[in-house]
Every structure is written in C-alpha cells, then in structure tokens.
Amino acid sequence: MARAELVKRARLTNKAEVAEETGNSERKRKAILEAAMSVFLKSGYLGASMDEIAAIAQVSKQTVYKQFSSKEALFVGIVTSMTGTAGDTVHNNVPELTEGGDLSEYLQRYALRQLTVVLTPPIMQLRRLVIGEVSRFPELARVLYERGPQRAMAIFATILTDLAARGRLKIDDPKAAASHFNWLVMSEPLNRAMLLGDDAIPKPAALRRHVAESVRVFLAAYGAK
C-alpha cells in the first residue's frame, strides 16, 4: 500500500478516535450535570457529595473533577445549564403574530409558555438554592438573573418593538414595557411558589386566568388606540 494511502488512513482513524472520545466526554459531562442537579437540589450545596454525584453518574470521581475542577465549578455549571435550557425552551422558535392575528391571544400564549417553563419544581428549587447561597456565591445570583429575567425581558423587548412598528402596540420604551409585562405575568405566581413551596405552584386553569388578566392590564396601558 502506498505511503500516502497509509498516512490518509491513519489520519482518518485518528479523527474517528478523537470524535469518539469527544462524544464520550460530552455524554459523561451531561450525566454528571444531571446527577449533580438531583444531588444539589436534594441536599443543598454544603450537603452535596461529589462521591454520590460520581456514583449516580456512573463515572469515577476523577472523571467528575476532570470535567469540573471543583464542587463550586460544578454548582456554577448546574445553574448555567438549567437556566440556559429553560430560557431556550421559552424563547427559541417563538412564532410571529400573523397579520390580523389576535394580539391578546398571542401575548397570552407567550406568557403561559414562560410561566409553564419557569414554574416547575426543579427551577423553583434551583432559585431557592441560589438565593440561600448568595452570600457564598454572589456571582451565581447574577448568572441566574442574567440568564433568566434579564434575558427574557431583552428578547421580549425586541418582540414588542416589532409589534409597535406594525401598529399593534403604542410603546415609547420597549425595555420598560417588557419589564412591565414580565412582572405583571410572573410576580404573583412566582412569589407564591418561591415562598410557599412547590405545592403552591398554580394549576393550569389558574395560570390561564392569571395570564388573561395580566395581558388585559398590559394592553390597557400599551394597546394601540
């Protein structure tokens, strides 16, 4: 076999091995994050055991530290992953309001989607955990805010800008309007669930009523006359 062909095959083999190793590494990282999420939410930061996380993820403790240099880094990874995933679920592939479409119904669907994603026991437990550790890890609270409410309001502000440009809303400050919408929708059910526990998360019918009233108030302030 020609030398050039041998070199080519060696390179292809090496690329395949690298791809397989990368895939294995990503699978292990995902397994570690999922295991860590369950352990941290169950036991808190101080009570979480890296040995338990490794056992649940079915990897060695050395592998956990290879992926995450410390317990703190793993905690940051959980907060970043969970908030990023929740935000993507809410904001990715948001449909546009069709010409002549029902604006109130459109805003209600958006708000209900946001509430349904945020008001879940894991997200509520994560928020409580981060607040409880804010003196130890102040940066985590910033990450949670930036990837949660701040991101939501920034993305929604662009949607409001488009709706105003189309004459469907009358808005001078899209960022302020997005903040008003966000807290009209989120504040009461979110505070209830945060303070009273997961059992206080409103049922779907109650959420729909709350969303309808929140959108009614928002449109009374910003609806095009």
Side-chain angles (χ1 to χ4, degrees), residues 92-149:
N92 286 357
N93 303 316
V94 175
E96 291 187 8
L97 177 65
T98 58
E99 196 64 35
D102 189 316
L103 178 58
S104 175
E105 182 181 337
Y106 174 80
L107 293 175
Q108 287 182 53
R109 285 200 307 270
Y110 185 93
L112 190 59
R113 183 177 183 176
Q114 186 175 10
L115 277 171
T116 302
V117 169
V118 173
L119 292 178
T120 59
I123 296 296
M124 291 296 95
Q125 291 163 24
L126 178 71
R127 291 174 72 102
R128 296 187 201 105
L129 180 57
V130 170
I131 290 171
E133 297 291 345
V134 71
S135 60
R136 191 193 313 272
F137 305 113
E139 284 300 299
L140 277 183
R142 182 182 59 79
V143 169
L144 185 61
Y145 176 76
E146 289 178 351
R147 289 175 174 265

Side-chain angles (χ1 to χ4, degrees), residues 4 20-21 41 50 62 76 79 83 95 109 120 151 160 165-166 170 177 191 218:
E20 183 178 0
E21 183 178 346
L41 294 185
M50 297 294 268
Q62 182 180 4
V76 172
V79 174
T83 53
R109 285 200 307 270
T120 59
R151 181 189 181 195
L160 294 181
R166 294 165 58 183
K170 184 175 177 57
N191 277 305
F218 181 81

Side-chain angles (χ1 to χ4, degrees), residues 52-223:
E52 183 181 4
I53 291 168
I56 294 174
Q58 297 184 330
V59 299
S60 68
K61 192 174 178 179
Q62 182 180 4
T63 299
V64 175
Y65 280 109
K66 183 178 179 181
Q67 292 285 345
F68 299 93
S69 59
S70 64
K71 185 177 178 180
E72 179 179 348
L74 181 52
F75 191 32
V76 172
I78 293 168
V79 174
T80 302
S81 175
M82 288 182 68
T83 53
T85 298
D88 290 344
T89 302
V90 173
H91 304 297
N92 286 357
N93 303 316
V94 175
E96 291 187 8
L97 177 65
T98 58
E99 196 64 35
D102 189 316
L103 178 58
S104 175
E105 182 181 337
Y106 174 80
L107 293 175
Q108 287 182 53
R109 285 200 307 270
Y110 185 93
L112 190 59
R113 183 177 183 176
Q114 186 175 10
L115 277 171
T116 302
V117 169
V118 173
L119 292 178
T120 59
I123 296 296
M124 291 296 95
Q125 291 163 24
L126 178 71
R127 291 174 72 102
R128 296 187 201 105
L129 180 57
V130 170
I131 290 171
E133 297 291 345
V134 71
S135 60
R136 191 193 313 272
F137 305 113
E139 284 300 299
L140 277 183
R142 182 182 59 79
V143 169
L144 185 61
Y145 176 76
E146 289 178 351
R147 289 175 174 265
Q150 188 176 70
R151 181 189 181 195
M153 288 183 283
I155 292 174
F156 193 62
T158 65
I159 294 174
L160 294 181
T161 299
D162 175 67
L163 291 173
R166 294 165 58 183
R168 302 302 303 270
L169 293 171
K170 184 175 177 57
I171 294 176
D172 296 322
D173 187 341
K175 289 184 179 179
S179 177
H180 294 158
F181 182 86
N182 183 78
W183 296 114
L184 273 170
V185 170
M186 299 298 298
S187 60
E188 200 280 333
L190 181 61
N191 277 305
R192 178 184 293 273
M194 284 291 294
L195 296 174
L196 300 181
D198 296 341
D199 290 341
I201 294 175
K203 298 296 187 288
L207 283 182
R208 287 192 292 270
R209 289 193 298 271
H210 169 74
V211 161
E213 183 63 11
S214 298
V215 169
R216 185 191 68 77
V217 173
F218 181 81
L219 289 178
Y222 292 105

Side-chain angles (χ1 to χ4, degrees), residues 38-49 71 75 129 133:
S38 66
V39 172
F40 275 107
L41 294 185
K42 176 188 71 175
S43 305
Y45 179 80
L46 291 178
S49 162
K71 185 177 178 180
F75 191 32
L129 180 57
E133 297 291 345

